[in-house]
Amino acid sequence: MNARASAEALEQGSFEQNLKKVPFTAVLTLAYQSLGVVYGDLSTSPLYVYKTTFSGKLSLHENDEEVYGVLSFIFWTLTLIPLFKYIFIVLSADDNGEGGTFALYSLLCRHGRLGILPNQQEADEKLAAYGMEGSADTWQSSILKSFFAKHPKFRNGLLIFVLLGTCMAIGDGVLTPAISGEYIYIYRLYYIVVISCVILVALFSLQHHGTHRVAFMFAPIVTAWLLCISGIGIYNIFRWNPRIYRALSPVYMLRFLKSTAVEGWVSLGGVVLSITGAETMFADLGHFSPLSIKVAFTFLVYPCLVLAYMGEAAFLSRHHEDIQRSFYKAIPEPVFWPVFIVATFAAIVGSQAVISATFSMVSQCCALNCFPRVKIVHTSSTICGQIYIPEINWILMCLCLAVTIGLRDTNMMGHAYGLAVTTVMFVTTCLMFMVMIIVWKQRITTAIAFLVFFGSIELLYISACFIKVPEGGWIQLSLSLIFMGIMYVWNYGTLKKHQFDLENKVSMKRIVALGPSLGMVRVPGIGLVYTNLATGVPAVFGHFVTNLPAFHQVLVFVCIKSIQVPYVSESERFLVDRVGPKDYGMFRCIVRYGYKDLQQENYDFENRLVSVIIQFVEMESEECMSAPIARPCTYFEMSNVDSFDVSKLMLTHPNREENMVQSLSDIQVVRPEVGLAQNSLFKEESLQIMKARESGIAYILGHSYAKAKKSSSFFKRFAINVVYAFLSKNCRGPDVVLSVPYTSLLEVGMIYYV
């Protein structure tokens, strides 16, 4: 399969093809499971929306204009943002089944080359551009692409903008459990903080069981909760105010703003809490499917929430004095304690959506070099998107406990929460505007209409939330700035080290020429030199042979590339090339992973790597024999098999160049234990590689330290020498991430002056 076909297959998406084959019963099962993970946060918003909205100077009058106006805002906010924007539009912009702000950024980088290095001419960037081909550009998309290509500062600004949205979403992972843990702050009991802390510790302790088990555990709770609040809402509507449906008219929003002026505008910071968790519908997309999330929201979550808010507004219209406890006061007395118990569990479950989304976002950031390396545990054998990150889990727990103990006020948490929610949504709207032009090739008028309509709504809520910064919004800003600083510095330091590698590549001719004078020898075995470069010899290898003038009989430069797509198929995993003349015994193997792929955990990496190298040698020999004129070798895309029967490779094909790689899927297995002497069909070089494999494999990794040049500015020296050095020292090393066996590890220390 050539690169073009690979890209087209990727763009068509095996995910969508498989989804069409999923029976409707499976979709309903996924929709049911999504209730326990995706909609826990959104469904528990009625616990504190009215309480937070009326916590300021906004007061209720006899004509109930405020109650009707707030309900009208809640209804249209629920309808326009989660239903119209996310369900009908944003969920269609998935990146091969994955969602979130980084998935949108990945789409833009792949289709519009809007990454930090879009014009990089090195071969490693070309090989990393997996799936960048697409349909012909429109004039609108061409203009937007050329603008970013000519202005690198705007590309860097786009990355910062994406990091801001991602960090705000991660901040939700701190605030949501904290505000959910204190939801029972009804009668200001002195022991409420202790209860909240116990709930939080129990919640985070369950995360290691995985999303699949948690979903089945939590889905019945959320389902029961939605049915309870909708039933209570219907009861309150008929008992207290059957005419409350009039508030669904948008006229009441205008009346509300006109009569309440500044106080009404500020109170919108509480109204926006009605859509907390809407962004997680997109961020948690990889755990389920778009259709299942749409079915669950459209047919259950949305109507139940509308009835719940209408019922509480009907109760408030007759009980102005109970505004701070309206939700619990609106529950009929005979069913109060059963509903209270369900509400207790529902509030605990409400945090699961943002916790799962935080794991997904951190995993994507790690794969795209925007977050320090952490341990990623895949909790499902069938759904790769279901992951658990221990370090992030316990850091979130500690931050949640600190916020809960330090604030003890759900109103302040609500103000901070509203700022996080609106900012993430606005970032998504701006990225969707670019996706519509660059990826979907829509008319610019359509994209501008989307941006203006939804962006204006979200900016209105952002402005209302910014007023509350001194009253709690500063918490979210502080957390987001800290996270964004960490992510940007890590990305900046990693980029500078990569640039150092590009500028200090070693000439292989120079190393070989110095061989006799240095006493360089070749030792038995295979040496795997890990590098970030896809062309040339890394500086760390030159440093290695200078201090120890010997290297292995077979040398393979292994380059791990994280591609800006969720998954890379196994048939397109390896790219193999030869380094130098044939008698050098040097190869380069580029291993491509999507940001959701498991790296070297599902299979025997060593045997597969040796197998594809031998495949390359055999295929290269055949092509050289059949080619009338010698030509330089190029990268070969290899299928993943354990080993092979060379007799099938010796078959002649009418279109050898097209069928050579395709025939590898039918290759049989031949183990080395059969005996090298008996495998006469193998080429001499293949036998040497197999003998070297039996002698052992050594992993050569660079243990590099980045230091800023003395001429650098103070901020750069602080970022590289202090922050980046601290993060590098305390994150997981590359040997752990790559699952390198310690008994075969050789580390080469080197200082990078960037």
Side-chain angles (χ1 to χ4, degrees), residues 416-436:
Y417 197 16
L419 180 61
V421 170
T422 52
T423 304
V424 175
M425 292 181 176
F426 181 70
V427 170
T428 301
T429 299
C430 295
L431 293 177
M432 277 299 304
F433 165 75
M434 299 178 65
V435 168
M436 285 182 170

Side-chain angles (χ1 to χ4, degrees), residues 433-693:
F433 165 75
M434 299 178 65
V435 168
M436 285 182 170
I437 297 176
I438 295 177
V439 182
W440 290 356
K441 307 295 190 298
Q442 294 291 323
R443 294 181 179 178
I444 193 169
T445 53
T446 304
I448 291 177
F450 174 85
L451 177 64
V452 171
F453 181 75
F454 291 106
S456 59
I457 297 174
E458 290 154 359
L459 285 176
L460 175 65
Y461 284 125
I462 289 175
S463 63
C465 293
F466 259 107
I467 300 298
K468 299 292 186 178
V469 167
E471 303 177 22
W474 60 270
I475 302 171
Q476 179 62 32
L477 285 178
S478 301
L479 290 173
S480 299
L481 289 176
I482 292 173
F483 288 138
M484 189 166 64
I486 292 173
M487 296 168 74
Y488 185 77
V489 168
W490 183 263
N491 179 266
Y492 178 77
T494 305
L495 179 63
K496 288 298 180 182
K497 289 179 66 176
H498 182 69
Q499 290 177 346
F500 181 90
D501 281 331
L502 290 175
E503 296 169 358
N504 294 272
K505 291 189 292 187
V506 181
S507 171
M508 178 55 64
K509 294 181 179 179
R510 181 170 177 269
I511 292 179
V512 175
L514 293 175
S517 61
L518 294 175
M520 192 176 299
V521 296
R522 305 294 290 269
V523 297
I526 298 177
L528 304 182
V529 182
Y530 279 83
T531 173
N532 292 325
L533 300 179
T535 59
V537 178
V540 67
F541 180 71
H543 189 64
F544 171 72
V545 297
T546 301
N547 292 273
L548 183 64
F551 54 92
H552 295 81
Q553 179 185 1
V554 177
L555 195 68
V556 183
F557 294 98
V558 180
C559 178
I560 305 294
K561 281 294 179 183
S562 291
I563 313 303
Q564 291 170 330
V565 295
Y567 306 103
V568 175
S569 63
E570 289 297 321
S571 62
E572 299 165 334
R573 179 80 64 199
F574 292 94
L575 293 174
V576 182
D577 189 18
R578 188 183 293 278
V579 177
K582 184 175 181 180
D583 55 351
Y584 283 8
M586 298 181 183
F587 302 90
R588 186 186 321 282
C589 184
I590 299 174
V591 190
R592 300 183 294 191
Y593 292 100
Y595 57 74
K596 284 289 187 179
D597 277 326
L598 287 169
Q599 293 193 12
Q600 301 181 17
E601 293 182 8
N602 283 347
Y603 52 83
D604 188 350
F605 178 75
E606 294 179 356
N607 288 335
R608 286 175 177 262
L609 181 62
V610 173
S611 295
V612 297
I613 292 175
I614 296 177
Q615 290 178 36
F616 170 77
V617 170
E618 298 292 331
M619 290 163 53
E620 184 187 44
S621 299
E622 282 196 352
E623 186 166 324
C624 290
M625 290 186 342
S626 61
I629 301 176
R631 56 183 178 84
C633 295
T634 57
Y635 279 98
F636 279 79
E637 200 160 356
M638 313 299 291
S639 297
N640 263 328
V641 292
D642 292 331
S643 188
F644 53 89
D645 180 0
V646 183
S647 60
K648 292 201 173 186
L649 286 176
M650 302 301 292
L651 297 175
T652 58
H653 301 284
N655 299 316
R656 175 179 298 274
E657 192 167 344
E658 294 181 6
N659 296 332
M660 194 176 299
V661 176
Q662 295 175 359
S663 65
L664 291 176
S665 59
D666 300 326
I667 291 172
Q668 302 296 325
V669 174
V670 173
R671 301 296 180 185
E673 300 85 62
V674 175
L676 298 179
Q678 299 177 8
N679 294 332
S680 57
L681 291 177
F682 285 107
K683 303 296 186 295
E684 181 180 356
E685 187 178 7
S686 300
L687 296 177
Q688 292 177 356
I689 294 173
M690 298 179 72
K691 288 179 181 179
R693 170 68 180 93

Side-chain angles (χ1 to χ4, degrees), residues 72-94:
S72 184
F73 265 105
I74 291 174
F75 171 76
W76 286 107
T77 302
L78 267 175
T79 302
L80 294 177
I81 303 299
L83 185 62
F84 286 173
K85 176 186 170 182
Y86 280 95
I87 295 297
F88 293 155
I89 302 176
V90 175
L91 286 181
S92 300
D94 64 289

Side-chain angles (χ1 to χ4, degrees), residues 31-47:
Y32 173 72
Q33 293 181 25
S34 69
L35 294 173
V37 175
V38 178
Y39 295 111
D41 186 17
L42 186 63
S43 64
T44 54
S45 297
L47 289 168

